[in-house]
Amino acid sequence: MLTYTSIRELRERLREWREANPKGKVGFVPTMGFLHEGHASLIERSRGENGLTVVSVFVNPLQFGPNEDFERYPRDPERDAAICGRAGADLLFAPDVREMYPKKTITKVLVEQLTDRLCGASRPGHFDGVGTVVSKLFHIVQPDRAYFGLKDAQQVAVIERMAEDLNLPVEIVPCPTVREPDGLALSSRNVYLTAEQREQAVVLNEALGKAEEWLAEPGIDAAGLRERIVAYIGRAPLAVIDYVEVLTYPDLQPPDSVAALHIGRGSRIIVALAVKFGGTRLIDNRIFG
Ligand code: AMP
């Protein structure tokens, strides 16, 4: 695996590869590093479906709010390179902030509507930063396919819509959430949790499992489901709910009928959660139908 910090050098290498492999497909996995098995699963999938796999590691300041964890976001470039290599990446792109933003960026990619709810409501401007950096990375790498985890299901919906609206020549490939043996979704932020918080954090996945059972009940509505999930999460004394939402997916609208909640009938439904443990905000979701 080769590592690049320079956009020019990465582009040069990609140009050479495309010349030598005119029919070859390029797969791309954008990340913020501090990689875990969730990231590795995306890299392995890309490896299986493409001739060349590019992984980016870039902690994007544009998608962090002023009081968020940009400065203390965990970083471990050597371990990241080892995980990328092991998972089958061919090129690792790890630019610094100056390389990505040599000037203050005054051009942004904003996806409306999908971004004013869930994490977009809790983290104003977050998805503008995501849309902008992902479109920059797409222009740099020009992948045929790009791999995103459904752990960040709203992000998948936003990127898919951005690619569609802007006619970006890339296929967005959503990938399943990888979990710890006890069900907690893998996240780079899990390292922030104390032992006690970590133990209680399983309540997110448990609540989503319960939601699946409750969804099967005839007569359940979105508000009732939401209430039960909120009550269930309340069993974890350290959990502070940021949001619990039941919406259609991928358009993220309130479901308009009870029938829509019934799996297999009507549209897909997402149950999405954001819960804080101390200063650590965890998200999880499940999509039904
Ligand atoms: P991040 O480094 O958190 O920006 O994540 C980079 C990519 O990895 C995103 O597409 C995430 O959705 C995906 N990802 C993060 N955690 C997981 C997980 N537990 N399972 C699958 N994909 C994940």
Side-chain angles (χ1 to χ4, degrees):
M1 188 186 68
L2 296 171
T3 301
Y4 294 88
T5 54
S6 141
I7 295 170
R8 192 181 53 74
E9 287 171 15
L10 175 73
R11 278 190 164 146
E12 182 60 19
R13 177 68 199 118
L14 284 164
R15 195 184 55 73
E16 285 168 7
W17 190 85
R18 287 193 173 97
E19 264 172 28
N21 302 274
K23 293 209 172 118
K25 300 287 183 203
V26 174
F28 178 44
V29 181
T31 81
M32 297 205 301
F34 211 71
L35 302 181
H36 49 62
E37 286 306 312
H39 300 109
S41 73
L42 309 188
I43 300 169
E44 285 159 9
R45 172 101 181 253
S46 171
R47 170 83 181 178
E49 296 179 352
N50 301 282
L52 187 87
T53 291
V54 183
V55 177
S56 65
V57 168
F58 179 61
V59 185
N60 173 37
L62 222 58
Q63 70 190 66
F64 286 80
N67 299 317
E68 293 184 355
D69 56 345
F70 173 70
E71 293 297 340
R72 69 175 191 123
Y73 195 83
R75 291 162 169 90
D76 191 342
E78 277 171 26
R79 194 168 142 267
D80 287 348
I83 291 173
C84 283
R86 186 158 40 79
D90 300 291
L91 306 181
L92 170 58
F93 177 49
D96 64 13
V97 173
R98 250 182 311 153
E99 182 70 5
M100 287 297 281
Y101 301 110
K103 297 177 182 171
K104 176 182 180 303
T105 189
I106 55 173
T107 307
K108 290 188 183 169
V109 178
L110 317 183
V111 178
E112 296 178 324
Q113 292 176 36
L114 296 178
T115 56
D116 63 8
R117 56 212 67 175
L118 304 175
C119 291
S122 308
R123 306 181 66 188
H126 169 68
F127 285 111
D128 304 348
V130 170
T132 302
V133 80
V134 171
S135 61
K136 279 169 74 79
L137 291 165
F138 282 180
H139 283 100
I140 293 166
V141 176
Q142 300 187 12
D144 297 285
R145 301 191 183 93
Y147 297 79
F148 290 87
L150 282 165
K151 152 109 181 336
D152 302 282
Q154 186 178 16
Q155 174 168 276
V156 171
V158 168
I159 300 294
E160 280 182 333
R161 187 57 188 264
M162 174 183 88
E164 193 184 335
D165 283 352
L166 298 180
N167 301 93
L168 304 183
V170 57
E171 180 192 342
I172 306 302
V173 185
C175 302
T177 301
V178 177
R179 298 175 181 281
E180 298 281 4
D182 68 0
L184 178 67
L186 295 187
S187 163
S188 306
R189 290 189 169 99
N190 290 350
V191 293
Y192 296 149
L193 299 170
T194 64
E196 208 182 4
Q197 291 168 341
R198 168 65 188 81
E199 217 168 274
Q200 293 186 23
V202 293
V203 76
L204 276 81
N205 181 54
E206 284 174 4
L208 292 169
K210 283 283 175 193
E212 180 161 17
E213 285 173 29
W214 294 327
L215 259 173
E217 287 179 16
I220 189 92
D221 63 9
L225 181 62
R226 210 190 144 271
E227 256 169 50
R228 289 199 216 175
I229 297 169
V230 168
Y232 191 91
I233 294 171
R235 294 172 171 207
L238 299 175
V240 176
I241 292 174
D242 177 16
Y243 66 71
V244 172
E245 296 283 355
V246 179
L247 298 171
T248 59
Y249 190 83
D251 38 332
L252 307 181
Q253 297 295 320
D256 56 9
S257 68
V258 174
L261 287 179
H262 282 260
I263 305 162
R265 283 190 269 154
S267 49
R268 279 185 292 167
I269 293 291
I270 185 168
V271 178
L273 319 172
V275 177
K276 278 187 158 183
F277 289 88
T280 305
R281 184 173 167 283
L282 302 179
I283 59 170
D284 203 348
N285 70 81
R286 209 162 290 187
I287 296 170
F288 302 100

PDB file of all heavy atoms in Angstrom, residues 15 26 33 46 53-54 75 83 91-92 95 101 106 109 135 149 156 172 196 201 219 232-233 248 250 258 269 277:
ATOM      1  N   ARG A  15      -3.879   8.492 -12.143  1.00  0.00           N
ATOM      2  CA  ARG A  15      -3.842   8.624 -13.608  1.00  0.00           C
ATOM      3  C   ARG A  15      -3.033   7.475 -14.214  1.00  0.00           C
ATOM      4  O   ARG A  15      -3.478   6.827 -15.166  1.00  0.00           O
ATOM      5  CB  ARG A  15      -3.223   9.973 -13.987  1.00  0.00           C
ATOM      6  CG  ARG A  15      -3.448  10.374 -15.446  1.00  0.00           C
ATOM      7  CD  ARG A  15      -2.739  11.667 -15.798  1.00  0.00           C
ATOM      8  NE  ARG A  15      -1.306  11.631 -15.506  1.00  0.00           N
ATOM      9  CZ  ARG A  15      -0.395  10.957 -16.203  1.00  0.00           C
ATOM     10  NH1 ARG A  15      -0.758  10.252 -17.248  1.00  0.00           N
ATOM     11  NH2 ARG A  15       0.881  10.986 -15.846  1.00  0.00           N
ATOM     12  N   VAL A  26     -12.375   1.969  -9.671  1.00  0.00           N
ATOM     13  CA  VAL A  26     -11.759   2.511  -8.459  1.00  0.00           C
ATOM     14  C   VAL A  26     -12.822   2.590  -7.366  1.00  0.00           C
ATOM     15  O   VAL A  26     -13.882   3.202  -7.557  1.00  0.00           O
ATOM     16  CB  VAL A  26     -11.157   3.911  -8.716  1.00  0.00           C
ATOM     17  CG1 VAL A  26     -10.636   4.531  -7.414  1.00  0.00           C
ATOM     18  CG2 VAL A  26     -10.036   3.827  -9.753  1.00  0.00           C
ATOM     19  N   GLY A  33     -10.403   8.335  10.106  1.00  0.00           N
ATOM     20  CA  GLY A  33      -9.310   7.642  10.788  1.00  0.00           C
ATOM     21  C   GLY A  33      -9.698   7.077  12.143  1.00  0.00           C
ATOM     22  O   GLY A  33     -10.874   6.962  12.479  1.00  0.00           O
ATOM     23  N   SER A  46     -14.888  -2.955  -0.783  1.00  0.00           N
ATOM     24  CA  SER A  46     -14.362  -2.261  -1.960  1.00  0.00           C
ATOM     25  C   SER A  46     -13.304  -3.113  -2.649  1.00  0.00           C
ATOM     26  O   SER A  46     -13.282  -3.231  -3.883  1.00  0.00           O
ATOM     27  CB  SER A  46     -13.782  -0.906  -1.565  1.00  0.00           C
ATOM     28  OG  SER A  46     -13.103  -0.344  -2.675  1.00  0.00           O
ATOM     29  N   THR A  53      -8.452   0.139  -4.585  1.00  0.00           N
ATOM     30  CA  THR A  53      -9.191   0.723  -3.457  1.00  0.00           C
ATOM     31  C   THR A  53      -8.380   1.844  -2.821  1.00  0.00           C
ATOM     32  O   THR A  53      -7.218   1.667  -2.461  1.00  0.00           O
ATOM     33  CB  THR A  53      -9.534  -0.362  -2.410  1.00  0.00           C
ATOM     34  OG1 THR A  53     -10.506  -1.238  -2.987  1.00  0.00           O
ATOM     35  CG2 THR A  53     -10.092   0.239  -1.128  1.00  0.00           C
ATOM     36  N   VAL A  54      -9.036   3.010  -2.733  1.00  0.00           N
ATOM     37  CA  VAL A  54      -8.423   4.182  -2.112  1.00  0.00           C
ATOM     38  C   VAL A  54      -9.151   4.457  -0.799  1.00  0.00           C
ATOM     39  O   VAL A  54     -10.378   4.475  -0.769  1.00  0.00           O
ATOM     40  CB  VAL A  54      -8.559   5.427  -3.026  1.00  0.00           C
ATOM     41  CG1 VAL A  54      -7.852   6.629  -2.408  1.00  0.00           C
ATOM     42  CG2 VAL A  54      -8.040   5.141  -4.426  1.00  0.00           C
ATOM     43  N   ARG A  75      -6.659  10.145  17.068  1.00  0.00           N
ATOM     44  CA  ARG A  75      -5.861   9.985  15.848  1.00  0.00           C
ATOM     45  C   ARG A  75      -4.758   8.973  16.105  1.00  0.00           C
ATOM     46  O   ARG A  75      -4.141   8.994  17.167  1.00  0.00           O
ATOM     47  CB  ARG A  75      -5.241  11.339  15.450  1.00  0.00           C
ATOM     48  CG  ARG A  75      -6.263  12.390  14.968  1.00  0.00           C
ATOM     49  CD  ARG A  75      -5.656  13.784  15.013  1.00  0.00           C
ATOM     50  NE  ARG A  75      -6.452  14.822  14.339  1.00  0.00           N
ATOM     51  CZ  ARG A  75      -7.394  15.557  14.910  1.00  0.00           C
ATOM     52  NH1 ARG A  75      -7.716  15.366  16.191  1.00  0.00           N
ATOM     53  NH2 ARG A  75      -8.035  16.504  14.228  1.00  0.00           N
ATOM     54  N   ILE A  83      -4.143  -1.034   9.507  1.00  0.00           N
ATOM     55  CA  ILE A  83      -5.489  -1.585   9.293  1.00  0.00           C
ATOM     56  C   ILE A  83      -5.869  -1.497   7.812  1.00  0.00           C
ATOM     57  O   ILE A  83      -6.413  -2.444   7.241  1.00  0.00           O
ATOM     58  CB  ILE A  83      -6.527  -0.870  10.196  1.00  0.00           C
ATOM     59  CG1 ILE A  83      -6.264  -1.238  11.656  1.00  0.00           C
ATOM     60  CG2 ILE A  83      -7.960  -1.216   9.786  1.00  0.00           C
ATOM     61  CD1 ILE A  83      -7.099  -0.492  12.679  1.00  0.00           C
ATOM     62  N   LEU A  91      -4.231   2.375  -1.939  1.00  0.00           N
ATOM     63  CA  LEU A  91      -3.697   3.721  -1.733  1.00  0.00           C
ATOM     64  C   LEU A  91      -4.360   4.329  -0.507  1.00  0.00           C
ATOM     65  O   LEU A  91      -5.583   4.249  -0.342  1.00  0.00           O
ATOM     66  CB  LEU A  91      -3.993   4.615  -2.943  1.00  0.00           C
ATOM     67  CG  LEU A  91      -3.553   4.116  -4.323  1.00  0.00           C
ATOM     68  CD1 LEU A  91      -3.920   5.150  -5.387  1.00  0.00           C
ATOM     69  CD2 LEU A  91      -2.058   3.834  -4.358  1.00  0.00           C
ATOM     70  N   LEU A  92      -3.536   4.931   0.325  1.00  0.00           N
ATOM     71  CA  LEU A  92      -4.054   5.661   1.492  1.00  0.00           C
ATOM     72  C   LEU A  92      -3.770   7.140   1.261  1.00  0.00           C
ATOM     73  O   LEU A  92      -2.624   7.526   1.006  1.00  0.00           O
ATOM     74  CB  LEU A  92      -3.359   5.156   2.766  1.00  0.00           C
ATOM     75  CG  LEU A  92      -3.596   5.948   4.049  1.00  0.00           C
ATOM     76  CD1 LEU A  92      -5.076   6.027   4.399  1.00  0.00           C
ATOM     77  CD2 LEU A  92      -2.820   5.309   5.219  1.00  0.00           C
ATOM     78  N   PRO A  95      -4.212  13.578   3.811  1.00  0.00           N
ATOM     79  CA  PRO A  95      -3.756  14.964   3.687  1.00  0.00           C
ATOM     80  C   PRO A  95      -3.857  15.696   5.020  1.00  0.00           C
ATOM     81  O   PRO A  95      -4.605  15.263   5.911  1.00  0.00           O
ATOM     82  CB  PRO A  95      -4.765  15.555   2.699  1.00  0.00           C
ATOM     83  CG  PRO A  95      -6.033  14.800   2.986  1.00  0.00           C
ATOM     84  CD  PRO A  95      -5.606  13.405   3.368  1.00  0.00           C
ATOM     85  N   TYR A 101      -7.552  22.448   2.626  1.00  0.00           N
ATOM     86  CA  TYR A 101      -8.126  23.803   2.653  1.00  0.00           C
ATOM     87  C   TYR A 101      -7.007  24.831   2.676  1.00  0.00           C
ATOM     88  O   TYR A 101      -6.766  25.466   3.713  1.00  0.00           O
ATOM     89  CB  TYR A 101      -9.026  23.987   3.885  1.00  0.00           C
ATOM     90  CG  TYR A 101     -10.191  23.018   3.968  1.00  0.00           C
ATOM     91  CD1 TYR A 101     -10.216  22.017   4.946  1.00  0.00           C
ATOM     92  CD2 TYR A 101     -11.265  23.108   3.083  1.00  0.00           C
ATOM     93  CE1 TYR A 101     -11.281  21.132   5.031  1.00  0.00           C
ATOM     94  CE2 TYR A 101     -12.329  22.219   3.169  1.00  0.00           C
ATOM     95  CZ  TYR A 101     -12.339  21.235   4.142  1.00  0.00           C
ATOM     96  OH  TYR A 101     -13.395  20.365   4.224  1.00  0.00           O
ATOM     97  N   ILE A 106     -14.829  29.144   0.514  1.00  0.00           N
ATOM     98  CA  ILE A 106     -16.048  29.966   0.431  1.00  0.00           C
ATOM     99  C   ILE A 106     -17.062  29.308  -0.512  1.00  0.00           C
ATOM    100  O   ILE A 106     -18.089  29.869  -0.815  1.00  0.00           O
ATOM    101  CB  ILE A 106     -15.726  31.423  -0.004  1.00  0.00           C
ATOM    102  CG1 ILE A 106     -14.950  31.445  -1.318  1.00  0.00           C
ATOM    103  CG2 ILE A 106     -14.954  32.139   1.094  1.00  0.00           C
ATOM    104  CD1 ILE A 106     -14.746  32.853  -1.873  1.00  0.00           C
ATOM    105  N   VAL A 109     -21.056  22.750  -0.395  1.00  0.00           N
ATOM    106  CA  VAL A 109     -22.126  21.934  -0.958  1.00  0.00           C
ATOM    107  C   VAL A 109     -23.167  21.717   0.138  1.00  0.00           C
ATOM    108  O   VAL A 109     -22.878  21.084   1.157  1.00  0.00           O
ATOM    109  CB  VAL A 109     -21.594  20.578  -1.455  1.00  0.00           C
ATOM    110  CG1 VAL A 109     -22.726  19.717  -1.992  1.00  0.00           C
ATOM    111  CG2 VAL A 109     -20.542  20.805  -2.540  1.00  0.00           C
ATOM    112  N   SER A 135     -17.586  15.932  -1.517  1.00  0.00           N
ATOM    113  CA  SER A 135     -17.524  16.278  -2.943  1.00  0.00           C
ATOM    114  C   SER A 135     -16.096  16.656  -3.334  1.00  0.00           C
ATOM    115  O   SER A 135     -15.641  16.313  -4.431  1.00  0.00           O
ATOM    116  CB  SER A 135     -18.552  17.331  -3.333  1.00  0.00           C
ATOM    117  OG  SER A 135     -18.339  18.482  -2.636  1.00  0.00           O
ATOM    118  N   GLY A 149     -20.942   3.646   5.602  1.00  0.00           N
ATOM    119  CA  GLY A 149     -21.591   2.788   6.587  1.00  0.00           C
ATOM    120  C   GLY A 149     -22.976   3.296   6.954  1.00  0.00           C
ATOM    121  O   GLY A 149     -23.187   4.498   7.138  1.00  0.00           O
ATOM    122  N   VAL A 156     -25.589   8.681   4.682  1.00  0.00           N
ATOM    123  CA  VAL A 156     -25.786   7.932   3.437  1.00  0.00           C
ATOM    124  C   VAL A 156     -26.887   8.591   2.603  1.00  0.00           C
ATOM    125  O   VAL A 156     -26.729   8.804   1.396  1.00  0.00           O
ATOM    126  CB  VAL A 156     -26.135   6.452   3.725  1.00  0.00           C
ATOM    127  CG1 VAL A 156     -26.551   5.724   2.456  1.00  0.00           C
ATOM    128  CG2 VAL A 156     -24.947   5.740   4.373  1.00  0.00           C
ATOM    129  N   ILE A 172     -22.971   5.094  -4.981  1.00  0.00           N
ATOM    130  CA  ILE A 172     -22.840   5.107  -3.525  1.00  0.00           C
ATOM    131  C   ILE A 172     -23.271   3.723  -3.020  1.00  0.00           C
ATOM    132  O   ILE A 172     -24.379   3.272  -3.315  1.00  0.00           O
ATOM    133  CB  ILE A 172     -23.733   6.206  -2.894  1.00  0.00           C
ATOM    134  CG1 ILE A 172     -23.429   7.583  -3.531  1.00  0.00           C
ATOM    135  CG2 ILE A 172     -23.585   6.234  -1.377  1.00  0.00           C
ATOM    136  CD1 ILE A 172     -22.003   8.050  -3.413  1.00  0.00           C
ATOM    137  N   GLU A 196     -18.017   2.370  32.974  1.00  0.00           N
ATOM    138  CA  GLU A 196     -19.433   2.364  33.359  1.00  0.00           C
ATOM    139  C   GLU A 196     -20.324   2.833  32.194  1.00  0.00           C
ATOM    140  O   GLU A 196     -21.378   2.258  31.922  1.00  0.00           O
ATOM    141  CB  GLU A 196     -19.600   3.307  34.553  1.00  0.00           C
ATOM    142  CG  GLU A 196     -20.739   2.956  35.456  1.00  0.00           C
ATOM    143  CD  GLU A 196     -20.879   3.974  36.588  1.00  0.00           C
ATOM    144  OE1 GLU A 196     -20.134   4.982  36.618  1.00  0.00           O
ATOM    145  OE2 GLU A 196     -21.757   3.754  37.437  1.00  0.00           O
ATOM    146  N   ALA A 201     -23.859   1.713  27.443  1.00  0.00           N
ATOM    147  CA  ALA A 201     -24.077   2.122  26.047  1.00  0.00           C
ATOM    148  C   ALA A 201     -24.763   1.033  25.213  1.00  0.00           C
ATOM    149  O   ALA A 201     -25.294   1.318  24.143  1.00  0.00           O
ATOM    150  CB  ALA A 201     -22.747   2.518  25.401  1.00  0.00           C
ATOM    151  N   GLY A 219     -51.433  -1.596  15.283  1.00  0.00           N
ATOM    152  CA  GLY A 219     -51.922  -0.387  15.952  1.00  0.00           C
ATOM    153  C   GLY A 219     -50.848   0.513  16.524  1.00  0.00           C
ATOM    154  O   GLY A 219     -51.149   1.593  17.027  1.00  0.00           O
ATOM    155  N   TYR A 232     -37.324   3.118  27.436  1.00  0.00           N
ATOM    156  CA  TYR A 232     -36.357   2.009  27.525  1.00  0.00           C
ATOM    157  C   TYR A 232     -34.943   2.539  27.761  1.00  0.00           C
ATOM    158  O   TYR A 232     -34.196   2.025  28.603  1.00  0.00           O
ATOM    159  CB  TYR A 232     -36.413   1.150  26.252  1.00  0.00           C
ATOM    160  CG  TYR A 232     -35.641  -0.133  26.417  1.00  0.00           C
ATOM    161  CD1 TYR A 232     -36.265  -1.289  26.891  1.00  0.00           C
ATOM    162  CD2 TYR A 232     -34.268  -0.171  26.171  1.00  0.00           C
ATOM    163  CE1 TYR A 232     -35.555  -2.451  27.094  1.00  0.00           C
ATOM    164  CE2 TYR A 232     -33.548  -1.340  26.372  1.00  0.00           C
ATOM    165  CZ  TYR A 232     -34.194  -2.474  26.830  1.00  0.00           C
ATOM    166  OH  TYR A 232     -33.487  -3.620  27.045  1.00  0.00           O
ATOM    167  N   ILE A 233     -34.576   3.583  27.028  1.00  0.00           N
ATOM    168  CA  ILE A 233     -33.228   4.150  27.172  1.00  0.00           C
ATOM    169  C   ILE A 233     -33.051   4.730  28.580  1.00  0.00           C
ATOM    170  O   ILE A 233     -31.948   4.722  29.143  1.00  0.00           O
ATOM    171  CB  ILE A 233     -32.960   5.209  26.076  1.00  0.00           C
ATOM    172  CG1 ILE A 233     -32.925   4.524  24.714  1.00  0.00           C
ATOM    173  CG2 ILE A 233     -31.648   5.963  26.321  1.00  0.00           C
ATOM    174  CD1 ILE A 233     -32.890   5.461  23.531  1.00  0.00           C
ATOM    175  N   THR A 248     -39.418   8.053   7.837  1.00  0.00           N
ATOM    176  CA  THR A 248     -39.262   7.234   6.633  1.00  0.00           C
ATOM    177  C   THR A 248     -37.805   7.335   6.191  1.00  0.00           C
ATOM    178  O   THR A 248     -37.087   8.274   6.553  1.00  0.00           O
ATOM    179  CB  THR A 248     -40.182   7.735   5.500  1.00  0.00           C
ATOM    180  OG1 THR A 248     -39.838   9.095   5.221  1.00  0.00           O
ATOM    181  CG2 THR A 248     -41.642   7.638   5.896  1.00  0.00           C
ATOM    182  N   PRO A 250     -35.243   6.718   2.597  1.00  0.00           N
ATOM    183  CA  PRO A 250     -34.228   7.708   2.925  1.00  0.00           C
ATOM    184  C   PRO A 250     -34.705   9.160   2.931  1.00  0.00           C
ATOM    185  O   PRO A 250     -33.885  10.076   3.056  1.00  0.00           O
ATOM    186  CB  PRO A 250     -33.221   7.508   1.773  1.00  0.00           C
ATOM    187  CG  PRO A 250     -34.066   7.133   0.603  1.00  0.00           C
ATOM    188  CD  PRO A 250     -35.243   6.382   1.154  1.00  0.00           C
ATOM    189  N   VAL A 258     -50.041   4.466   9.926  1.00  0.00           N
ATOM    190  CA  VAL A 258     -49.655   3.308  10.727  1.00  0.00           C
ATOM    191  C   VAL A 258     -49.153   2.201   9.796  1.00  0.00           C
ATOM    192  O   VAL A 258     -48.177   1.529  10.083  1.00  0.00           O
ATOM    193  CB  VAL A 258     -50.853   2.825  11.576  1.00  0.00           C
ATOM    194  CG1 VAL A 258     -50.509   1.531  12.294  1.00  0.00           C
ATOM    195  CG2 VAL A 258     -51.218   3.896  12.597  1.00  0.00           C
ATOM    196  N   ILE A 269     -38.704   2.355   7.114  1.00  0.00           N
ATOM    197  CA  ILE A 269     -38.766   3.178   8.314  1.00  0.00           C
ATOM    198  C   ILE A 269     -37.400   3.127   8.988  1.00  0.00           C
ATOM    199  O   ILE A 269     -36.798   2.057   9.103  1.00  0.00           O
ATOM    200  CB  ILE A 269     -39.829   2.608   9.296  1.00  0.00           C
ATOM    201  CG1 ILE A 269     -41.244   2.747   8.728  1.00  0.00           C
ATOM    202  CG2 ILE A 269     -39.719   3.228  10.682  1.00  0.00           C
ATOM    203  CD1 ILE A 269     -41.741   4.164   8.638  1.00  0.00           C
ATOM    204  N   PHE A 277     -23.393  10.056  26.633  1.00  0.00           N
ATOM    205  CA  PHE A 277     -22.872   9.515  27.894  1.00  0.00           C
ATOM    206  C   PHE A 277     -21.752  10.453  28.301  1.00  0.00           C
ATOM    207  O   PHE A 277     -20.693  10.467  27.652  1.00  0.00           O
ATOM    208  CB  PHE A 277     -22.358   8.087  27.699  1.00  0.00           C
ATOM    209  CG  PHE A 277     -23.467   7.099  27.482  1.00  0.00           C
ATOM    210  CD1 PHE A 277     -23.956   6.849  26.215  1.00  0.00           C
ATOM    211  CD2 PHE A 277     -24.054   6.453  28.564  1.00  0.00           C
ATOM    212  CE1 PHE A 277     -24.993   5.951  26.021  1.00  0.00           C
ATOM    213  CE2 PHE A 277     -25.095   5.558  28.372  1.00  0.00           C
ATOM    214  CZ  PHE A 277     -25.561   5.305  27.105  1.00  0.00           C
TER     215      PHE A 277
END
